[in-house]
Structure formats: structure tokens, C-alpha cells
Amino acid sequence: MTGATLIGDLRKHEEDEWSEYNEDERQSGFTWAQSLRQFRGFLYSLKPVLVVSLFLNASLVFYVSSTNTRTIKVPERSPFAGLERNVPRPWTPLEAHNDTEQDALWDSTSYDLGNIALSDDYAKSMGLPRAQRFPWDDSKGIYLINAYHNIHCVHTIRTALVEFRDGKEQSSAWGHIAHCLLVLRDEAMCNADDVPRYTGFQKNSKSGQGQYRMCRDFSKLEDWARQHTACWRHVGEMHDPGFRELDRYRFCPEGSPYKEDSETKWLDGSTDWWRKYKGEQDEA
């Protein structure tokens, strides 16, 4: 048997099968038109059921939505400084690519600014614990803004790494660094940021490069901190002659109602060591 003969027999077999199928269809009286009419009839019979189902589903969605609205409140603004997430920023670092730029970046963010003084009435209304007294107003307590404490910890760890790289003596005790590492871990656990970072198509197997997320405006947090400044600066060391923690609160800015008191009260016993830093502040 030749190849052509075999192919011809196979084609004839297929045609016979289709012919037999068509013949059976004709004998049974089945047509596609009849099938379509039957299917339309079936759908028509289900119409009342579908209407009821749609109504019940819509009611369920409305109930769940209204329940979630009542029980889950997502604040549009942060509770204290009133910050919104309206600043798009990519995960890709766009600045500070060398040591000089990085040093300048870190120096531009003052940890001192995070120390603020809040009135007891305001603190109580916001559910805050009572804090240590503000030296120049006994009706206010001293608080540290959480973002600044986090920056302080990252800065401390960075300083330790740079000192290690450069072979210098560590300026912070290991206990302080370990504390900061635990603080940052706790922050990540507390915030539980669930934004998925995309993978692939990036150098060095990184993730999220160039992907945007919505951030708060840090400059507005700085503005709020300045409005409630505790006049504090991290100057001097506890082992310095004549050091008093009180004297770190003598750096009130121009226009502050506490500026005069901060520079004149409780000077007895002070060596005025802080005044040299005051001069640096006035020059800045």
C-alpha cells in the first residue's frame, strides 16, 4: 500500500464518520436551531432565580461595606501633625551616591528637632502619658517624636559602621546599637507594611526599584516640631565639667515665649559651657 493510498483511506474513514454523525443527527430529528431554542427556554426559566440571586448578593455587599465602614476607620491624616500620604516617592535611591553626599544628607536631618513640649491638656486629650516637665513651663511635658527617634537609631548604626570601616574607636556602646536594632525591628513589625515590591527585571536581584509608594511630607513634620519645640540640643557630654541636662534646653529660637527664661533662669552653679553652642546656633 502506497502512502497516497493510506492517506486517502484515512480521509475516507473520517468522511464516513462525519457522514454517520450527520445521518444519526438527521434521524434523531436533532438540529442546532432546536438546541438553541431549548437553551433559551432553560435560561428563561431561570430568570426569577437569577433576579433573586442578584438582589441577595447586592444586599450582602451593601451590608459588608456598611459594617466595615462602621468598624474599621482608616485615618486620612496622622493624629498629631495632621500629615497625609500624598507624596509619591520611588524606592530607588535618587540621591547621596557617595560618602560626601551621604554625610551631608545625614547632617541635614536634626535629631534635636524631634524633642517637643506639649501642654498637659493636649497630651491628655490625645491619650498620651504624662511626661517629664518642660523647664520653662511646668504645664508642659517633653516628648520625642517617634520618626526622629528612628532616625537617631539609623544614624547611630551608620556611625558605628563607618567607624568600623575606617578602623576608628566606636563612639557608641554596643548596648546602644543593639537597642537601636531592636527598635527598628519593632517598627517594621508594628507597621507591617503590606505593599508588594515587584521582583525581576532589576540589577543585582533587587526588588521594587522605581516602584512608587505614597509617603508623608517630612518637611511638614519638621514644621510641626518647630511649632512645639522643647528648645533642646544634643550638646555637651555628661562627663564634661559643669554639665547639666537642664542646660541643653537653653536653645529656644527667636520669637519663642521661653527664649528669655531659657537664657537667664537657674544659672547658679552653671559654668555656662552651653553658651559656646549658643553662638553656633545664632550663626546658623
Side-chain angles (χ1 to χ4, degrees):
M1 178 179 297
T2 64
T5 304
L6 178 59
I7 293 175
D9 291 342
L10 288 173
R11 288 178 175 173
K12 185 175 185 304
H13 178 71
E14 292 175 354
E15 291 174 356
D16 291 342
E17 283 187 341
W18 278 105
S19 298
E20 292 175 2
Y21 176 80
N22 292 334
E23 181 63 26
D24 291 341
E25 183 181 285
R26 284 194 295 271
Q27 291 178 358
S28 63
F30 178 83
T31 64
W32 284 108
Q34 289 175 325
S35 174
L36 183 60
R37 284 195 297 271
Q38 291 176 3
F39 184 68
R40 286 175 177 172
F42 174 72
L43 289 179
Y44 185 79
S45 65
L46 289 179
K47 187 175 180 179
V49 178
L50 292 173
V51 171
V52 173
S53 176
L54 288 172
F55 174 77
L56 292 176
N57 277 282
S59 300
L60 179 62
V61 169
F62 175 78
Y63 172 77
V64 172
S65 299
S66 60
T67 301
N68 287 342
T69 301
R70 291 194 300 268
T71 59
I72 302 177
K73 296 181 179 180
V74 181
E76 296 182 359
R77 295 176 179 268
S78 60
F80 298 99
L83 306 178
E84 296 179 285
R85 291 193 177 276
N86 55 5
V87 180
R89 286 181 61 88
W91 270 299
T92 306
L94 298 179
E95 54 190 343
H97 296 290
N98 55 52
D99 286 355
T100 301
E101 293 178 351
Q102 289 183 17
D103 290 342
L105 186 66
W106 284 104
D107 291 342
S108 68
T109 306
S110 174
Y111 161 70
D112 300 349
L113 193 58
N115 289 268
I116 58 175
L118 301 176
S119 71
D120 289 343
D121 289 341
Y122 173 78
K124 186 176 181 180
S125 71
M126 298 300 289
L128 295 173
R130 190 173 187 271
Q132 72 179 41
R133 296 298 84 191
F134 180 46
W136 320 123
D137 188 340
D138 195 54
S139 69
K140 290 185 175 182
I142 299 171
Y143 297 84
L144 174 58
I145 298 175
N146 190 47
Y148 285 90
H149 183 252
N150 293 337
I151 289 175
H152 161 71
C153 273
V154 177
H155 196 180
T156 298
I157 296 170
R158 177 182 184 268
T159 299
L161 291 172
V162 171
E163 290 171 343
F164 175 78
R165 182 198 63 184
D166 296 342
K168 296 181 179 179
E169 182 180 356
Q170 291 289 311
S171 58
S172 294
W174 169 249
H176 188 189
I177 297 172
H179 159 76
C180 278
L181 287 170
L182 290 173
V183 163
L184 296 175
R185 179 185 183 276
D186 185 65
E187 281 296 304
M189 300 290 285
C190 178
N191 288 308
D193 190 346
D194 59 353
V195 176
R197 297 170 64 115
Y198 84 100
T199 62
F201 321 110
Q202 301 161 77
K203 294 181 179 180
N204 302 322
S205 301
K206 294 181 178 179
S207 65
Q209 298 297 289
Q211 181 177 341
Y212 279 78
R213 79 276 201 198
M214 298 305 293
C215 302
R216 292 168 176 166
D217 189 339
F218 196 83
S219 65
K220 291 185 178 180
L221 178 60
E222 292 179 319
D223 292 341
W224 185 75
R226 289 189 182 94
Q227 294 170 18
H228 301 280
T229 179
C231 307
W232 187 88
R233 285 190 65 188
H234 188 204
V235 294
E237 298 295 338
M238 295 182 67
H239 54 73
D240 289 344
F243 174 86
R244 298 187 306 176
E245 179 65 25
L246 167 67
D247 295 328
R248 285 181 167 176
Y249 292 90
R250 297 189 182 277
F251 297 89
C252 294
E254 292 294 334
S256 169
Y258 308 110
K259 183 173 176 59
E260 182 177 355
D261 284 349
S262 70
E263 296 175 351
T264 59
K265 291 182 67 174
W266 299 319
L267 294 178
D268 293 343
S270 171
T271 60
D272 290 353
W273 61 269
W274 51 273
R275 289 192 182 277
K276 63 178 180 180
Y277 299 103
K278 189 72 175 177
E280 293 177 2
Q281 181 192 40
D282 293 339
E283 291 176 5

